């Protein structure tokens, strides 16, 4: 009876599970059998080591799911500590700058859709109000006032005289017939005549239309910059020439092609072998303003690329003419009365109304000229350097915009104007201001002369860029600077357009009618 109530020592049961390839074995051990449990533990440890090594080998072959299991165990421990009840973590909103989020593709698409819809509304409103104003015959009349007199074309053909004058002057300098001072004097006369002759022709030939005058003056301006570069580079070649001049050879611009084992080999040229007619006219037609003895050349002409650029040129030109006739001309005509009445609220309203088509036309013109047209010419002439523009649309400063939207002009100013001034000891700020001064002169030259009136609006608009560049560079950074550049482009151009059109209207329309 007493034994019945005697309690036996309590033994804790320990369960060990061994997962093998075929089944599961469960062992129970009590305190009374520690030796047996120890043997079993040794056996279990050996089995676990073997199984773990086997699992590692299988994981290496399969891809390592054990890491996922370990992460799951850690996650389980965190969940066990209560994190499974939390749905928040430390993070910033997506539109905050600290979030680091940058994928705004959807917002960009939304902006494009809104831009298309808003301009479609304006286009429909224009059609309903004015009807179809596009007239191709009127475009032809802008170039030709008298069908039997083509002064702009004659002026362009006559430019070959200045090209030959520059070439033969350099030839005489290369053989020592002319001294450097006489050669420089002849070049200055040639370059001065290039700028003055078209001005005299436009002002004194009544049959010259404004559009034809702009085209002729643009050709002469490009020719002036090219021949100035031609003069400088050949002078640099004479300065660094150590050996006697070699015989005239065809330059890389129009190379002599020799074939070795089926591959074309282009010969390099050295001064004065570049002083040939072929070399000169290759440079004149090449899409660059800076002369070199050996231009980079593309291996072949890509016909598909050429046809795509040609299609873009034709299509975009028609689109530009249509937008100007249908959209800009009526807006400008309706802007004259507020200017005459000095109604400032209506003037601002017309300015903002003109800003949209003017800016759209400017963007299309940029693509037409700097991408389609210049790539077409470069591909046709196998000109290798196709960097005609950089990412000016990302400009955060005004200086960056002017240095990257027109690379040929920027290279010319840097090579033949800015760096020579720095070598003479001029400070950078003064040199930059001088570059803007030269650019302002040519902007006014290309606008005032064809319109036969001198108001200096384009000149002042370019010179305003100097303090604007300083202000944006000092006080506006990042997106604010980029927005300031865009605002200056969108608002600044229509202001100049309205000022010139108003003055032209007063002088040539209102004045004669009043008289």
């Amino acid at each position: 009876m007493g034994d019945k109530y005697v309690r036996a020592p309590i033994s804790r049961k320990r369960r060990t599970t061994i997962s093998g390839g075929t089944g599961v074995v469960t062992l129970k051990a009590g305190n009374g059998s520690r030796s047996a449990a120890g043997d079993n533990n040794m056996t279990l440890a050996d089995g676990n080591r073997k199984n773990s090594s086997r699992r590692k080998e299988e994981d290496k072959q399969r891809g390592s799911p054990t890491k996922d299991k370990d992460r799951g165990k850690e996650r389980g421990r965190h969940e066990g500590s209560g994190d499974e009840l939390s749905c928040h973590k430390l993070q910033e909103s997506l539109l905050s700058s600290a979030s680091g989020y940058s994928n705004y593709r959807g917002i960009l698409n939304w902006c494009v859709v809104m831009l298309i819809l808003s301009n479609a509304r304006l286009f429909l409103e224009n059609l309903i109000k004015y009807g179809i104003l596009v007239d191709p015959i009127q475009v032809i009349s802008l170039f030709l006032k008298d069908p039997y007199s083509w002064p702009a074309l004659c002026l362009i053909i006559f430019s070959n005289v200045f090209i030959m004058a520059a070439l033969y002057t350099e030839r005489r300098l290369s053989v020592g017939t002319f001294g450097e001072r006489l050669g420089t004097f002849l070049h200055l006369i040639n370059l001065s005549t290039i700028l003055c002759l078209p001005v005299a022709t436009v002002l004194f030939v009544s049959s010259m239309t404004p559009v034809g005058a702009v085209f002729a003056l643009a050709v002469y301006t490009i020719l002036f910059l090219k021949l100035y570069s031609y003069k400088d580079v050949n002078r640099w070649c004479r300065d660094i020439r150590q050996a006697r001049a070699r015989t005239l050879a065809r330059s890389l611009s129009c190379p002599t092609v020799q074939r070795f084992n089926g591959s074309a080999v282009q010969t390099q040229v050295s001064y004065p072998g570049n002083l040939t007619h072929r070399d000169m006219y290759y440079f004149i037609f090449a899409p660059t303003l800076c002369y070199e003895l050996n231009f980079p050349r593309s291996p072949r002409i890509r016909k598909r690329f050429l046809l795509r650029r040609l299609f873009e040129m034709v299509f975009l030109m028609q689109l530009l003419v249509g937008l100007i006739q249908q959209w800009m001309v009526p807006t400008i005509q309706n802007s004259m009365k507020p200017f005459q009445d000095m109604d400032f609220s209506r003037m601002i309203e017309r300015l903002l109304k003109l800003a949209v088509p003017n800016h759209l036309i400017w963007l299309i013109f940029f693509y037409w000229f700097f991408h389609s047209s210049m790539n077409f010419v470069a591909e046709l002439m196998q000109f290798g350097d196709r960097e005609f523009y950089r990412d000016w649309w990302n400009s955060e400063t005004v200086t960056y915009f002017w240095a990257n939207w027109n690379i040929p002009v920027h290279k010319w100013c840097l090579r033949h104007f800015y760096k020579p001034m720095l070598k003479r000891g001029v400070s950078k700020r003064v040199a930059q201001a001088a570059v803007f001064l030269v650019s302002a002169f040519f902007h006014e030259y290309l606008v005032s002369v064809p319109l036969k009136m001198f108001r200096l609006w384009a000149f002042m608009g370019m010179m305003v860029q100097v303090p604007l560049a300083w202000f944006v560079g000092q006080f506006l950074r990042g997106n604010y600077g980029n927005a300031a550049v865009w605002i200056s482009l969108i608002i600044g151009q229509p202001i100049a357009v309205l000022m010139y059109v108003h003055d032209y209207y007063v002088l040539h329309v209102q004045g004669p009618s009043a008289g």
Side-chain angles (χ1 to χ4, degrees), residues 89-106:
K89 62 180 180 180
L90 184 64
Q91 57 183 340
E92 297 286 345
S93 299
L94 288 182
L95 297 180
S96 300
S97 59
S99 66
Y101 182 79
S102 59
N103 185 11
Y104 297 104
R105 184 179 57 185

Side-chain angles (χ1 to χ4, degrees), residues 352-455:
L352 296 177
K353 189 174 182 180
L354 181 63
V356 176
N358 176 83
H359 188 64
L360 181 61
I361 289 170
W362 180 80
L363 290 176
I364 295 174
F365 172 80
F366 168 81
Y367 187 90
W368 173 82
F369 184 77
F370 286 98
H371 185 75
S372 300
S373 301
M374 297 190 75
N375 269 291
F376 176 82
V377 176
E379 189 69 25
L380 196 63
M381 303 184 69
Q382 294 181 261
F383 185 79
D385 188 0
R386 309 293 176 89
E387 190 185 37
F388 306 123
Y389 55 89
R390 297 194 188 109
D391 59 334
W392 57 266
W393 47 86
N394 294 325
S395 301
E396 297 180 0
T397 61
V398 176
T399 306
Y400 185 88
F401 167 78
W402 287 108
N404 290 275
W405 92 280
N406 189 342
I407 295 299
V409 171
H410 172 67
K411 285 182 178 179
W412 187 93
C413 292
L414 195 67
R415 187 190 194 195
H416 299 283
F417 195 76
Y418 182 76
K419 287 184 178 180
M421 291 185 70
L422 294 181
K423 290 180 180 179
R424 292 187 177 96
V426 180
S427 65
K428 288 187 177 180
R429 290 190 177 275
V430 175
Q432 288 178 353
V435 170
F436 275 104
L437 183 66
V438 172
S439 179
F441 166 78
F442 280 108
H443 276 78
E444 189 66 35
Y445 177 81
L446 291 172
V447 177
S448 292
V449 175
L451 296 178
K452 299 180 181 180
M453 62 180 188
F454 302 95
R455 294 294 186 269

Side-chain angles (χ1 to χ4, degrees), residues 71-86:
R71 294 194 193 100
K73 289 179 181 179
E74 293 178 1
R75 196 180 298 114
R77 283 197 295 270
H78 287 297
E79 291 177 354
S81 62
D83 287 348
E84 73 275 2
L85 301 179
S86 175

